[in-house]
Amino acid sequence: MRSTARVVVIGGGVVGASVLYHLTKAGWPDVMLIERDELTCGSTWHAAGGMHTVNGDPNVARLQQYTINLYREIERISGQSCGVHLTGGIMLAGTRERLDWLRMAQARGRYLGMELEMLSVDEAARRFPLLDKRHFVGAMFDPVEGHVDPYGVTHAYAKSAQIAGAEVVRHTRVVDLKQRPDGTWDVITDRGNVHAEHVVNAGGLWAREVGRMVGLELPILAMEHQYLITEEVPQIAGLPEQLHCIDFEGELYLREERDGMLIGTYERAGVPWSPLETPWDFAQSLLPNDLDRIAPSLEVAFEHFPALGEIGVRKVVNGPFTFAPDGNPLIGPIKGLSNFWVACGVMAGFSQGGGVGLALSQWMVNGDPGSDVWAMDVARYGDWATLAYTNAKVRENYSRRFRIRFPNEELPAGRPLRTTPIYDRLRESHAVFGEYCGLEHPLWFAPTEAEAREDVTFRRSNAHAHVAEECRAVQERVGLIETSNYGKIEVVGPGAEAWLSRLMANRVPAVGRIALTPMLNERGKLIGDFTMCRLAADHVLLIGTLAAEAYYMRWFERHLPPSGVRVRACAMEHVGLSVAGPGSRALLQSLVRVDLSNSAFPFLTFRRVDIGMIPALVGRISFTGELGYEIWVSPDYQRALYDLLLTAGAKPFGGRALNAMRIEKGFGNWAREFRPIYGPHEAGLGRFVALEKGEFVGRAAAASEKSKGGELRLVALAVDAADADAIGDEPIWHDGKVVGWVTSGAYGHRVGRSLALGYVPAALAGATAGFEIEIIGERRRAERLAVCAYDPGGSHMRS
Ligand SMILES: Cc1cc2nc3c(=O)[nH]c(=O)nc-3n(C[C@H](O)[C@H](O)[C@H](O)COP(=O)(O)OP(=O)(O)OC[C@H]3O[C@@H](n4cnc5c(N)ncnc54)[C@H](O)[C@@H]3O)c2cc1C
């Protein structure tokens, strides 16, 4: 075993082996993998090996496509077979809603280049003869699905890496990790130490324990998972290999295994494994079977696929594998820990392992993952994702693996966890809540307690009329919304202005003023959008996205000078309320002594103001497009402030109305319109990029984007929708071809039109006609709007 290496990857499952291979491929051959037993001995060896491209997040779907295409490459380099069976797959719908869901998945796949095909039940039965047609209403076929040999894949990665110079050390356990003052690591094993510049935690079932070696509590939990393999199925004897099959209503997946069928299920009463600590003596082990637990799913299997009920079971496998609360991997560097990386919580190692290895290696070698990995970034979780929260959410997610998540559906596990002081007040006003980063926030308000629940649907829900009322109140009078669910970061010190000027694309505002700014990476792509509020020469409050707080802080720490600037995340120290609407000035003026007239308190002013007896920070800014004020107070004052504003006549409104109004204004949101795959000019933020102010991160790339015009353009569209609006990720068609995708959509109540925001090629940004948006399988005519749908001159919010 070498005593030094540039990188030590801990863990020889499919993920660690992929990271090792990709590091060598990216040009770092001096890398080493340490495995405490044999390769694959964690969850990898007993996996069913299934692989597929469909994923709820298009960027993860792209990495899944990459993974599947990689197998031929590593087979070629290593000479090791991956046992690839690219059978194709069929997804069966037993209900109309599921068919709608499949149509949406098919539509989404179009702009990813996926050739998904909708099938009638007859055609589905022709291609998958085991099914009983009576239980299904339709199906979707994906040609890029199949299964691999988990042992073969892991060894093919490892051998390919070894050929490029990597070392693979088996039967050696990492027992501790110690960081040196220069940021490098002493990797302490039971067979000696290795000094490494970087460490990667690919510990799979033990990733939590490896995290704990450096004081990290990673939000992952292993669940028991069972599949069985039947005896020979005579009905398929002599036929070509059967397709992979997912039966959503049965919550089952099936594939051929030799001459029998493998049947797996994500049962509703799933059981976590080793919720607190993973035993170190577990290697190439399985758990006792518990067929009773999956009996309800098996009964459905025997009904839906009658031939399977007539034969015996050859083998049952019960093994554990890990999940993050949302089921997506956790990858990336960790805030506060230099040169420590994670690649864990990968629940679909054979669909995602290659993509995870690629993204992480790019990140380590180039300082940037090279693609949009927000959905997998470990920084999407904050302190609220404790062990118990993770336990509740993982169990929920596991039990819903094959259930439909409707776009307006809020899941109940682990709630309420974080609440603000006005939570009870909002409940008394019949708020229907959503959860975001563990925090409850009002989505809309029902007239009575009995009506305060929302039907889950792909179409307009029972909330529609109430949201319309809320928008009307904002447009005509004064609305009041809680805005605590924003991230806040305080930047203080004599070097604050110079530092922010280097990190942000816009100029730092003068004291008492607000500036909107994109934040760019070196490639000139969007990695944040902020409201910079300048309280004093040496004090700026950044307001951004709550879910990205750790993501921002990780970037800030990387760029922090040794002295002169202090940066601190402080979201919940400033809880918020915002008043919006033509009457908001008069309402607030009745409660404050400072002059709020347009000349004394113009648009983009930010000041300390006492509201009644309450000390507050007030910014004149608007996300609704109406005259508005954002008010920030410490939590102990929020209740009094809420009561005061309510008594003064403001009407509560929720996030649904806010979303509709910001879309009417064409205002983008982080993770929807603004992501690291778009440049600021493409995203319509060019006016907030002050190229002339001097050097800042991403300036050269932003200047080049500006001069070349960028490849994409964010556009606003009005859609001839029926009873369903766009929600995001629908394909945009132009002249019969898929040219782009929707990022957000909603019904614009103030303009009486269904609206969408989305990206199209820059060359098409001037076209108005010829567009269509595919909503639940129907192509609906859409018109590109030359200006935003509501108050394009911006006079409402500025005057
Ligand atoms: C029953 C079952 C069926 C499945 N079916 C599928 C499927 O069809 N398709 C699919 O894509 N996925 C499937 N999976 C999931 C798949 O197995 C995982 O996604 C994958 O194995 C995760 O790999 P990993 O490398 O992250 O973790 P692991 O396989 O757990 O590997 C981690 C490795 O790290 C080593 N290690 C940990 N700590 C240390 C240390 N301190 N020192 C040295 N070594 C250490 C361990 O020994 C282990 O070998 C299934 C899982 C199960 C249980």
Side-chain angles (χ1 to χ4, degrees):
M1 181 166 87
R2 301 174 200 177
S3 58
T4 61
R6 187 158 200 179
V7 182
V8 165
V9 178
I10 304 171
V14 63
V15 173
S18 167
V19 170
L20 190 77
Y21 167 65
H22 282 92
L23 282 169
T24 60
K25 196 174 167 184
W28 282 11
D30 177 18
V31 292
M32 173 175 191
L33 182 148
I34 301 184
E35 165 55 50
R36 71 191 175 104
D37 200 286
E38 287 294 345
L39 297 184
T40 77
C41 78
S43 53
T44 297
W45 74 282
H46 52 240
M51 55 180 188
H52 51 93
T53 48
V54 173
N55 186 286
D57 185 290
N59 296 290
V60 179
R62 266 192 202 101
L63 289 175
Q64 295 189 178
Q65 283 176 322
Y66 167 81
T67 303
I68 294 173
N69 291 332
L70 189 68
Y71 292 131
R72 294 294 175 218
E73 172 180 315
I74 55 174
E75 281 184 332
R76 200 183 60 246
I77 298 173
S78 65
Q80 163 74 53
S81 165
C82 294
V84 178
H85 291 242
L86 204 58
T87 55
I90 191 164
M91 297 183 185
L92 300 172
T95 63
R96 285 278 141 206
E97 286 77 18
R98 177 58 70 182
L99 205 56
D100 282 349
W101 186 90
L102 289 179
R103 286 198 185 104
M104 289 165 78
Q106 184 206 23
R108 191 175 286 190
R110 289 193 210 279
Y111 65 79
L112 295 169
M114 291 160 71
E115 286 171 17
L116 305 169
E117 186 189 346
M118 296 305 295
L119 305 180
S120 66
V121 180
D122 285 340
E123 180 57 19
R126 199 185 64 73
R127 297 196 197 184
F128 193 74
L130 292 173
L131 67 81
D132 179 342
K133 292 195 283 188
R134 288 173 306 168
H135 301 289
F136 302 102
V137 296
M140 185 173 80
F141 174 73
D142 178 0
V144 190
E145 240 185 273
H147 59 100
V148 285
D149 164 24
Y151 173 96
V153 167
T154 310
H155 281 80
Y157 279 130
K159 281 184 189 161
S160 302
Q162 282 170 302
I163 290 167
E167 184 177 356
V168 175
V169 179
R170 296 171 170 81
H171 299 285
T172 302
R173 185 176 135 196
V174 173
V175 293
D176 206 357
L177 293 165
K178 300 262 180 255
Q179 193 161 31
R180 294 188 183 182
D182 66 356
T184 61
W185 292 92
D186 284 317
V187 181
I188 299 160
T189 81
D190 53 5
R191 289 183 49 219
N193 298 354
V194 184
H195 178 218
E197 195 178 321
H198 298 270
V199 169
V200 179
N201 175 1
L205 289 174
W206 296 267
R208 261 181 331 189
E209 282 66 24
V210 174
R212 285 173 191 156
M213 292 176 193
V214 296
L216 259 187
E217 194 59 58
L218 289 163
I220 40 179
L221 175 73
M223 295 292 291
E224 292 192 15
H225 181 71
Q226 300 186 78
Y227 63 79
L228 55 83
I229 298 170
T230 69
E231 303 277 7
E232 179 182 339
V233 183
Q235 287 83 342
I236 58 170
L239 296 178
E241 186 172 2
Q242 291 297 297
L243 302 179
H244 262 238
C245 172
I246 293 180
D247 171 4
F248 289 101
E249 270 57 57
E251 304 186 325
L252 299 159
Y253 63 90
L254 299 96
R255 73 163 167 85
E256 191 169 334
E257 174 71 20
R258 300 207 187 102
D259 47 7
M261 290 298 288
L262 182 154
I263 312 172
T265 178
Y266 286 81
E267 69 277 20
R268 295 205 176 174
V271 172
W273 179 68
S274 292
L276 302 177
E277 255 176 82
T278 313
W280 287 106
D281 60 359
F282 188 87
Q284 292 202 323
S285 317
L286 287 174
L287 305 170
N289 303 331
D290 184 356
L291 283 180
D292 284 349
R293 207 166 68 225
I294 59 168
S297 305
L298 292 179
E299 272 168 31
V300 179
F302 300 151
E303 240 183 82
H304 289 187
F305 311 97
L308 303 181
E310 294 160 14
I311 44 169
V313 172
R314 190 184 284 155
K315 185 175 164 193
V316 182
V317 170
N318 183 9
F321 64 119
T322 54
F323 296 78
D326 60 5
N328 274 339
L330 294 177
I331 74 165
I334 301 284
K335 174 175 77 73
L337 266 184
S338 54
N339 298 359
F340 186 86
W341 306 79
V342 296
C344 56
V346 183
M347 59 81 62
F350 301 95
S351 302
Q352 300 175 337
V356 164
L358 174 74
L360 195 78
S361 62
Q362 296 295 315
W363 214 335
M364 294 175 71
V365 172
N366 304 326
D368 185 297
S371 60
D372 183 348
V373 295
W374 168 247
M376 308 201 285
D377 193 328
V378 62
R380 71 190 184 278
Y381 286 106
D383 293 345
W384 79 89
T386 58
L387 214 57
Y389 171 90
T390 301
N391 191 302
K393 279 299 184 194
V394 168
R395 283 160 58 191
E396 178 181 68
N397 187 45
Y398 185 92
S399 72
R400 298 183 49 94
R401 172 97 173 99
F402 288 146
R403 305 234 316 258
I404 296 174
R405 170 94 190 249
F406 289 94
N408 65 337
E409 187 169 10
E410 292 289 327
L411 302 181
R415 298 177 60 190
L417 177 60
R418 304 169 79 188
T419 56
T420 57
I422 60 168
Y423 176 66
D424 296 345
R425 289 281 199 277
L426 296 169
R427 282 184 61 132
E428 283 160 17
S429 302
H430 317 306
V432 175
F433 288 93
E435 181 257 9
Y436 175 66
C437 302
L439 181 69
E440 298 293 319
H441 64 103
L443 295 173
W444 57 278
F445 291 82
T448 64
E449 171 63 31
E451 291 168 274
R453 40 197 55 77
E454 187 164 356
D455 308 332
V456 292
T457 171
F458 293 120
R459 296 163 201 279
R460 289 179 196 144
S461 76
N462 58 318
H464 189 75
H466 305 299
V467 173
E469 269 306 306
E470 292 174 19
C471 293
R472 190 166 310 123
V474 174
Q475 184 182 14
E476 293 172 0
R477 300 182 297 277
V478 191
L480 169 62
I481 184 168
E482 161 147 52
T483 51
S484 303
N485 56 348
Y486 285 103
K488 282 131 240 157
I489 292 174
E490 198 175 55
V491 183
V492 289
E497 177 172 3
W499 183 73
L500 277 172
S501 181
R502 202 174 140 67
L503 248 71
M504 301 294 164
N506 204 352
R507 291 179 192 283
V508 180
V511 174
R513 300 288 297 159
I514 293 173
L516 304 180
T517 182
M519 181 164 77
L520 308 179
N521 61 17
E522 282 90 356
R523 291 186 297 120
K525 300 294 182 193
L526 288 169
I527 55 165
D529 67 304
F530 292 100
T531 310
M532 283 191 278
C533 309
R534 184 102 178 249
L535 268 164
D538 60 352
H539 190 172
V540 176
L541 187 66
L542 298 175
I543 300 174
T545 303
L546 183 60
E549 218 176 50
Y551 171 89
Y552 300 145
M553 286 302 289
R554 191 175 60 194
W555 181 257
F556 291 156
E557 278 175 6
R558 195 172 130 191
H559 290 87
L560 213 55
S563 64
V565 190
R566 291 190 311 284
V567 181
R568 200 173 63 87
C570 55
M572 286 303 132
E573 289 174 28
H574 301 280
V575 291
L577 288 169
S578 174
V579 282
S584 57
R585 177 181 289 125
L587 181 144
L588 204 56
Q589 187 67 78
S590 70
L591 304 171
V592 304
R593 285 172 49 232
V594 299
D595 180 1
L596 292 184
S597 66
N598 201 30
S599 52
F601 208 100
F603 191 56
L604 301 181
T605 298
F606 191 75
R607 287 231 209 111
R608 288 183 201 282
V609 175
D610 289 348
I611 304 175
M613 292 185 284
I614 300 154
L617 298 172
V618 176
R620 186 162 157 215
I621 188 152
S622 166
F623 205 42
T624 60
E626 306 292 353
L627 172 70
Y629 300 85
E630 282 183 356
I631 306 167
W632 305 103
V633 292
S634 68
D636 39 344
Y637 292 108
Q638 196 201 21
R639 222 173 150 92
L641 178 65
Y642 182 74
D643 289 346
L644 196 62
L645 295 171
L646 217 56
T647 312
K651 180 174 162 47
F653 69 103
R656 290 273 157 73
L658 183 68
N659 190 48
M661 290 188 276
R662 66 112 188 149
I663 291 172
E664 286 174 319
K665 285 296 296 171
F667 292 155
N669 244 357
W670 174 251
R672 302 298 328 170
E673 287 71 36
F674 307 148
R675 298 187 70 122
I677 40 176
Y678 309 123
H681 296 280
E682 293 178 327
L685 295 176
R687 65 190 183 285
F688 301 117
V689 178
L691 288 175
E692 66 291 349
K693 76 171 176 172
E695 197 43 44
F696 60 89
V697 178
R699 183 181 180 279
S704 149
E705 188 205 9
K706 187 180 179 190
S707 66
K708 293 188 188 135
E711 286 172 21
L712 300 171
R713 198 68 82 240
L714 181 64
V715 293
L717 299 132
V719 194
D720 282 351
D723 61 346
D725 303 301
I727 50 173
D729 293 327
E730 294 85 357
I732 302 176
W733 295 72
H734 187 262
D735 282 350
K737 278 203 226 83
V738 174
V739 294
W741 53 91
V742 171
T743 49
S744 301
Y747 188 79
H749 293 279
R750 289 180 299 188
V751 297
R753 298 181 89 174
S754 183
L755 300 171
L757 300 177
Y759 281 90
V760 298
L764 278 178
T768 49
F771 289 101
E772 289 168 309
I773 295 183
E774 188 169 346
I775 300 177
I776 321 178
E778 278 183 51
R779 280 159 58 179
R780 315 288 313 188
R781 210 178 64 80
E783 173 204 348
R784 187 191 68 83
L785 303 174
V787 289
C788 71
Y790 186 72
D791 186 27
S795 61
H796 294 205
M797 59 185 194
R798 286 199 170 79
S799 52

